[in-house]
């Protein structure tokens, strides 16, 4: 198997040693290059970050925190973690940062551990209205260990029902109120949620995983000045390595650190911690701020283009990197739309819409995001084309038509190469 300019000489070594895995790496690279990547939580991280992830930092155990480790030999990784912490605090204006969580779910688990005890009442957005598994779904630890009370969106405008949220907070006196979602295209009013938290004496937790990259790029308002604690992933719009992070007020720093280690995790993945530092430096550049604005502009045009094809953008459009599309007008459900788009080389996901009459396995909607295509350099003209490609894919159950569409998709992506020489 031949190497690729992207993977470099080490790939030839891998090909000889383990051709099975080398073949998968190559196919996945080709898939990401050729197909349209519209999963709202995915992006193309930089080669600099890949270099960090594939480094000797991966070998190092470093339980503890810089200067207070349980192993020797941490001098170099300490420096990387200190840089990551300093960059996170500076970029987001945060008083405290923990850069060790392995993922968004790990970060959220640590937030629960820092502020609550099993059985406590937590108010969080319901999953069918756009929330997240770790915000109280019965199949997640959060729904099993805590008394979760869910709020949702209003049926008339599909925006968070802040009146309901306040009523539920007053009635249930939650220990913590969580805001943040995975399929909510609008901005969240953090000032309003802070006021509700203050009224009932609740900790204000924002799970900013989806939109933190837009905050980093100064394209949307930040929750950091309002929240007690903000958790997020580093690999979505933020475009860093896979992983999680927690920002907090200084007074909560010790509790957060203790909850992450030794509470929830053992050794941090130091290559990922260093990769987070690299990502935060990238996010502080003016080019990234322009990128974040372009992501939103692209998503607004993509949503409008799908509306022009007869579909409906939930909540009337988007103010972020993602759009939730009600496709009932096509008489095709989310599951089938996802499959047809996949066959046409358009990678997106089926998604429940608020008050969805279909089951979560079927759904009446699709979710699209523009983080990855914007990284590729696509702009609003391409978003209009993508809207039309999606509509044509959803409308067709003919394999030949879908294969032809796939050809059109590959022509489009060939003009915006990623990870080329
Ligand atoms: N899986 C992520 C998403 O797609 O939104 C959230 O964890």
């Amino acid at each position: 198997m031949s190497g690729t300019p992207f993977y470099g000489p080490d790939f030839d070594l891998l090909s000889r040693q383990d051709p099975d895995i080398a073949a998968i790496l190559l196919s996945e690279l080709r898939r990401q290059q050729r197909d349209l990547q519209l999963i709202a939580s995915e992006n193309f991280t930089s080669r600099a970050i890949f270099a960090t992830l594939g480094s000797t930092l991966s070998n190092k155990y470093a339980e503890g925190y810089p200067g207070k480790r349980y192993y020797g030999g941490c001098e170099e990784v300490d420096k990387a973690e200190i840089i990551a912490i300093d960059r996170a605090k500076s970029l987001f204006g945060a008083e405290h940062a923990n850069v060790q969580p392995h993922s968004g779910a790990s970060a959220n688990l640590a937030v629960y551990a820092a502020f609550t005890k099993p059985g406590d009442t937590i108010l969080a957005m319901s999953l069918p209205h756009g929330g997240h598994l770790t915000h109280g779904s019965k199949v997640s630890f959060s729904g099993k260990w805590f008394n979760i009370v869910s709020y949702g969106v209003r049926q008339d405008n599909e925006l968070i029902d802040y009146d309901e949220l306040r009523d539920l907070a007053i009635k249930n006196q939650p220990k913590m109120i969580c805001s943040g979602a995975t399929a909510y295209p609008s901005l969240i009013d953090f000032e309003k949620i802070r006021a509700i938290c203050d009224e009932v004496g609740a900790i204000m937790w924002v799970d900013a995983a989806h939109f933190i990259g837009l905050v980093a790029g100064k394209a949307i308002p930040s929750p950091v000045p309002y929240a007690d604690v903000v958790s997020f992933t580093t690999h979505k719009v933020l475009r860093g390595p896979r992983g999680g992070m927690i920002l907090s007020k200084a007074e909560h720093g010790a509790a957060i650190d203790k909850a992450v280690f030794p509470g929830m995790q053992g050794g941090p993945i130091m290559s990922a911690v260093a990769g987070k530092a690299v990502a935060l430096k990238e996010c502080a550049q003016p080019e990234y701020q322009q990128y974040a604005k372009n992501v939103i502009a692209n998503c607004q045009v993509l949503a409008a283009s799908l509306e022009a094809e007869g579909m409906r953008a939930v909540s009337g459009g988007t103010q972020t990197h993602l759009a939730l599309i009600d496709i009932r007008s096509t008489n095709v459900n989310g599951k089938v739309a996802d499959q047809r788009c996949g066959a046409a080389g358009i990678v997106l996901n089926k998604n429940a819409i608020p008050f969805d009459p279909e089951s979560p396995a079927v759904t009446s909607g699709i979710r699209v995001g523009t983080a990855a295509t914007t990284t590729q350099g696509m702009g609003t003209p391409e978003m209009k084309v993508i809207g039309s490609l999606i509509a044509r894919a959803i409308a067709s159950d003919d394999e030949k038509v879908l294969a032809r569409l796939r050809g059109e998709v590959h022509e489009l992506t060939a003009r915006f190469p990623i990870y080329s020489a």
Side-chain angles (χ1 to χ4, degrees):
M1 191 184 311
S2 65
T4 73
F6 172 64
Y7 284 133
D10 285 352
F11 187 78
D12 293 332
L13 180 75
L14 177 68
S15 297
R16 287 194 297 280
Q17 193 176 310
D18 195 333
D20 299 329
I21 294 297
I24 292 168
L25 261 60
L26 201 53
S27 305
E28 176 59 15
L29 173 63
R30 300 288 182 241
R31 188 193 70 77
Q32 291 189 19
Q33 289 172 324
R34 287 180 186 151
D35 291 350
L36 266 171
Q37 310 301 333
L38 299 178
I39 303 273
S41 45
E42 293 182 356
N43 209 336
F44 300 119
T45 202
S46 72
R47 298 179 71 134
I49 290 170
F50 277 136
T52 316
L53 293 173
S55 70
T56 53
L57 272 61
S58 174
N59 297 336
K60 191 70 198 93
Y61 253 114
E63 271 121 328
Y65 290 97
K68 291 171 283 182
R69 305 285 191 187
Y70 287 81
Y71 289 100
C74 290
E75 301 78 25
E76 299 308 321
V77 293
D78 271 9
K79 290 180 205 162
E81 184 162 345
I82 289 167
I83 290 174
I85 291 168
D86 288 347
R87 287 181 184 167
K89 286 162 67 177
S90 153
L91 183 66
F92 296 109
E95 293 173 8
H96 182 81
N98 187 304
V99 297
Q100 293 193 2
H102 300 327
S103 68
S106 304
N108 290 354
L109 190 52
V111 170
Y112 283 101
F115 294 105
T116 62
K117 292 187 305 302
D120 278 349
T121 297
I122 320 286
L123 188 54
M125 190 155 176
S126 89
L127 185 58
H129 285 208
H132 186 251
L133 280 171
T134 57
H135 300 173
S137 164
K138 284 286 172 210
V139 295
S140 134
F141 71 87
S142 54
K144 293 184 202 298
W145 299 347
F146 298 94
N147 173 36
I148 303 279
V149 179
S150 297
Y151 62 88
V153 298
R154 290 167 56 113
Q155 195 147 14
D156 56 357
N157 60 11
E158 294 163 319
L159 298 174
I160 290 173
D161 189 340
Y162 294 96
D163 293 334
E164 180 201 35
L165 199 163
R166 179 170 176 268
D167 289 347
L168 287 171
I170 290 168
K171 184 170 164 219
N172 294 284
Q173 295 292 308
K175 190 83 187 284
M176 187 159 73
I177 298 179
C178 172
S179 51
T182 62
Y184 186 68
S186 301
L187 300 181
I188 297 170
D189 190 335
F190 298 117
E191 195 176 351
K192 221 174 238 179
I193 293 182
R194 176 77 258 174
I196 297 169
C197 287
D198 287 344
E199 198 175 348
V200 299
I203 292 287
M204 178 174 169
W205 164 32
V206 178
D207 179 346
H210 259 274
F211 57 83
I212 194 73
L214 301 175
V215 173
K218 305 197 185 325
I220 63 169
S222 171
V224 172
Y226 300 101
D228 292 291
V229 59
V230 178
S231 61
F232 55 90
T233 46
T234 47
H235 49 269
K236 296 187 171 85
V237 182
L238 196 73
R239 216 160 53 183
R242 289 198 78 87
M245 211 180 276
I246 303 175
L247 307 174
S248 72
K249 301 285 183 224
E251 66 189 278
H252 304 307
I256 294 284
D257 286 352
K258 214 166 132 195
V260 173
F261 173 84
M264 297 295 144
Q265 291 187 176
I269 303 169
M270 293 313 297
S271 50
V273 166
K276 290 170 196 174
V278 177
L280 292 165
K281 183 170 184 180
E282 291 178 1
C283 289
Q285 309 309 313
E287 298 77 26
Y288 182 84
Q289 294 190 8
Q290 188 56 53
Y291 162 74
K293 289 180 183 68
N294 292 348
V295 167
I296 298 174
N298 277 347
C299 205
Q300 288 173 337
V301 172
L302 179 55
S305 151
L306 290 165
E307 290 211 298
E309 297 286 347
M311 294 172 241
R312 189 183 73 83
V314 167
S315 73
T318 177
Q319 295 170 291
T320 67
H321 62 297
L322 70 83
L324 187 57
I325 309 295
D326 173 353
I327 61 169
R328 285 175 293 181
S329 62
T330 65
N331 292 319
V332 174
N333 64 44
K335 183 179 176 189
V336 172
D338 184 335
Q339 286 162 351
R340 289 182 184 174
C341 286
I346 303 166
V347 186
L348 44 71
N349 62 281
K350 64 173 180 279
N351 212 106
I353 58 170
F355 309 97
D356 202 322
E358 298 283 358
S359 75
V362 176
T363 80
S364 303
I366 55 171
R367 186 185 67 161
V368 290
T370 49
T373 49
T374 307
T375 296
Q376 273 177 287
M378 293 189 196
T380 50
E382 287 74 36
M383 296 303 131
K384 290 181 188 157
V385 173
I386 293 171
S388 155
L389 288 166
I390 292 172
R392 286 157 65 202
I394 291 177
S396 178
D397 60 358
D398 182 333
E399 278 179 24
K400 286 198 191 103
V401 172
L402 293 170
R404 272 203 301 279
L405 277 174
R406 187 169 204 139
E408 285 186 48
V409 165
H410 291 176
E411 276 170 32
L412 172 63
T413 53
R415 293 198 285 119
F416 297 90
I418 50 139
Y419 303 136
S420 51

